[in-house]
Amino acid sequence: MPTPLDESSIRTAPKVLLHDHLDGGVRPETVVDIAREIGYDELPAPDAPTLAKWFRDSADSGSLERYLETFAHTVAVMQTADGLARVAREAAEDLADDGVVYAEIRWAPEQHTEAGLSLDEVVDAVLAGFREGEQAAAERGKRIRVGAIATAMRHAARSREIAELAVAYRDKGIVGFDIAGAEAGFPPTRHLDAFEYLRRENFHFTIHAGEAFGLPSIWEAIQWCGTDRLGHGVRIVDDITAGGALGRLAQYVRDKRIPLEMCPSSNVQTGAAESIAEHPIGLLRKLQFRVTVNTDNRLMSGTSMTREMALLADAFGYDWADLQWFTINAMKSSFIGFDERLQLINGVIKPGYAALRA
Ligand SMILES: O=c1[nH]cnc2c1ncn2[C@H]1C[C@H](O)[C@@H](CO)O1
Ligand SMILES: [Zn+2]
């Protein structure tokens, strides 16, 4: 008899998370704590539960730009080495407790130098936090491996510098590069220099594309910039007819097995999808695109990997085989080496789901 599928059983299933922002997943208690420590007095709420609700409500505007405004408060409390390491350690522990066995967590180092840290100091603090979190989780019997992704902000002009930073740390925990921030008006080709550099270095990158802007953004990310994966990519459905016929770009994305880092709750909040039930993930999964399930910003969406999967199971009737399929898609699409991916698939993911399906 298969284990009934609900939030508590999904929590025990091994999960893989490719798209999670460090500054979008801070514990509300930690925001309050660090704000008090550093004397940041602009928090919109005085206590953790009210603050948690404020983040969820404010992010629920239907606009990516307004959604992004909420990050000012988390970024403000992530300006010291101690603060950054704490947030990173807690992120690793929280994901491990949620049953995530492999996570790629991203953040933009350039946003964390306001109190005088250098980019290297920012990265060192975050990577140290991830290692501490992995260890603390392991001591509690929860195994997680965390890879870091260095993000550059698309409205700024530091992408080449951040790309070089990412490559300099490739053997110390940074596994990839990304660009994020407002999409409309900031096409990925603004950062071509960074992407060409990364390709020459045989490095990996993903691009937020097809979230608040449509097909041209996805096309540029793939065909001009050469992205390995698409952050969100929901708007690829604009190239699929109601009858399920694929246009040339959608066909290319599916044929090349380009991973889509889909973040259902976040997409509903920013207006990229009407509701979970109407989220393009249902169609894209049916058409066998390389779909993965992600959290994006656990704080702003009040969510977790378990919750995202439970919402999808509810909306689309997914079973363990579907959840395993999403998880293996994600593991295959991760930025770590093939041998490590295979080890997690065969040693952790398949046995985990086999036990739940039996
Ligand atoms: O969903 C998103 N789209 C574009 N940018 C985003 C999204 N979620 C977070 N960001 C931005 C805000 C953060 O400060 C930055 C780095 O994590 O990335
Ligand atoms: Zn994102």
Side-chain angles (χ1 to χ4, degrees):
M1 267 284 284
T3 306
L5 205 146
D6 56 30
E7 284 218 20
S8 71
S9 58
I10 295 175
R11 188 160 298 110
T12 68
K15 293 173 288 298
V16 173
L17 172 52
L18 300 180
H19 190 134
D20 186 80
H21 292 257
L22 186 64
D23 51 330
V26 193
R27 293 179 187 165
E29 300 78 14
T30 300
V31 179
V32 172
D33 268 9
I34 303 181
R36 196 183 314 112
E37 274 166 36
I38 64 170
Y40 178 72
D41 57 11
E42 289 172 48
L43 284 188
D47 60 88
T50 323
L51 193 61
K53 184 173 181 324
W54 180 86
F55 274 108
R56 278 198 313 274
D57 292 349
S58 315
D60 229 359
S61 60
S63 137
L64 176 60
E65 285 75 9
R66 300 228 346 247
Y67 177 92
L68 293 174
E69 285 169 15
T70 62
F71 286 78
H73 301 294
T74 52
V75 169
V77 300
M78 295 167 67
Q79 297 296 335
T80 63
D82 283 353
L84 283 162
R86 174 174 173 182
V87 170
R89 184 184 72 241
E90 292 174 352
E93 289 204 63
D94 290 350
L95 294 179
D97 287 336
D98 192 38
V100 174
V101 295
Y102 176 77
E104 288 177 3
I105 307 181
R106 63 189 74 195
W107 91 112
E110 70 196 66
Q111 299 194 117
H112 302 274
T113 57
E114 276 166 31
L117 291 181
S118 67
L119 290 174
D120 280 2
E121 287 169 333
V122 170
V123 175
D124 287 333
V126 168
L127 296 180
F130 287 153
R131 298 296 82 81
E132 282 170 28
E134 286 172 341
Q135 208 169 346
E139 282 163 16
R140 288 186 282 105
K142 310 261 175 170
R143 293 234 157 254
I144 185 168
R145 160 113 154 74
V146 177
I149 294 180
T151 291
M153 298 310 290
R154 54 203 307 160
H155 60 268
R158 298 185 71 177
S159 50
R160 171 67 189 246
E161 191 186 354
I162 301 302
E164 287 178 10
L165 180 73
V167 170
Y169 276 87
R170 69 191 310 170
D171 295 323
K172 298 181 204 151
I174 296 197
V175 300
F177 172 86
D178 159 57
I179 57 167
E183 186 176 8
F186 300 101
T189 39
R190 276 172 52 105
H191 306 281
L192 212 45
D193 177 42
F195 299 125
E196 284 173 353
Y197 162 77
L198 292 166
R199 295 215 302 271
R200 286 196 300 276
E201 292 294 333
N202 305 304
F203 203 56
H204 308 290
F205 57 95
T206 176
I207 296 181
H208 277 78
E211 178 189 21
F213 202 69
L215 294 174
S217 184
I218 296 179
W219 176 71
E220 281 196 16
I222 296 171
Q223 308 300 12
W224 284 80
C225 306
T227 194
D228 295 301
R229 311 195 302 232
L230 290 168
H232 302 286
V234 272
R235 294 269 49 98
I236 196 66
V237 289
D238 295 350
D239 201 35
I240 302 174
T241 65
L246 308 193
R248 290 205 192 279
L249 180 60
Q251 207 157 13
Y252 187 90
V253 169
R254 188 171 72 166
D255 289 346
K256 286 280 199 179
R257 315 306 299 141
I258 295 176
L260 303 173
E261 305 162 359
M262 313 215 92
C263 310
S265 291
S266 165
N267 292 153
V268 173
Q269 287 180 296
T270 62
E274 279 298 311
S275 65
I276 300 286
E278 291 158 278
H279 195 284
I281 197 167
L283 174 66
L284 295 167
R285 189 263 172 273
K286 225 180 270 164
L287 294 171
Q288 303 228 45
F289 279 73
R290 171 76 68 89
V291 174
T292 69
V293 178
N294 301 275
T295 48
D296 208 11
N297 298 296
R298 287 170 287 120
L299 174 65
M300 286 71 182
S301 298
T303 200
S304 64
M305 265 306 272
T306 293
R307 183 168 171 275
E308 292 303 299
M309 283 190 155
L311 288 170
L312 293 175
D314 233 29
F316 299 106
Y318 292 148
D319 59 13
W320 290 118
D322 295 297
L323 301 194
Q324 172 174 324
W325 185 79
F326 287 125
T327 306
I328 290 180
N329 274 353
M331 202 61 249
K332 283 180 178 170
S333 311
S334 80
F335 288 153
I336 53 170
F338 176 71
D339 48 350
E340 276 191 276
R341 281 183 260 157
L342 216 54
Q343 208 177 359
L344 279 160
I345 290 173
N346 292 326
V348 178
I349 298 169
K350 285 189 176 170
Y353 284 91
L356 291 160
R357 291 168 76 169

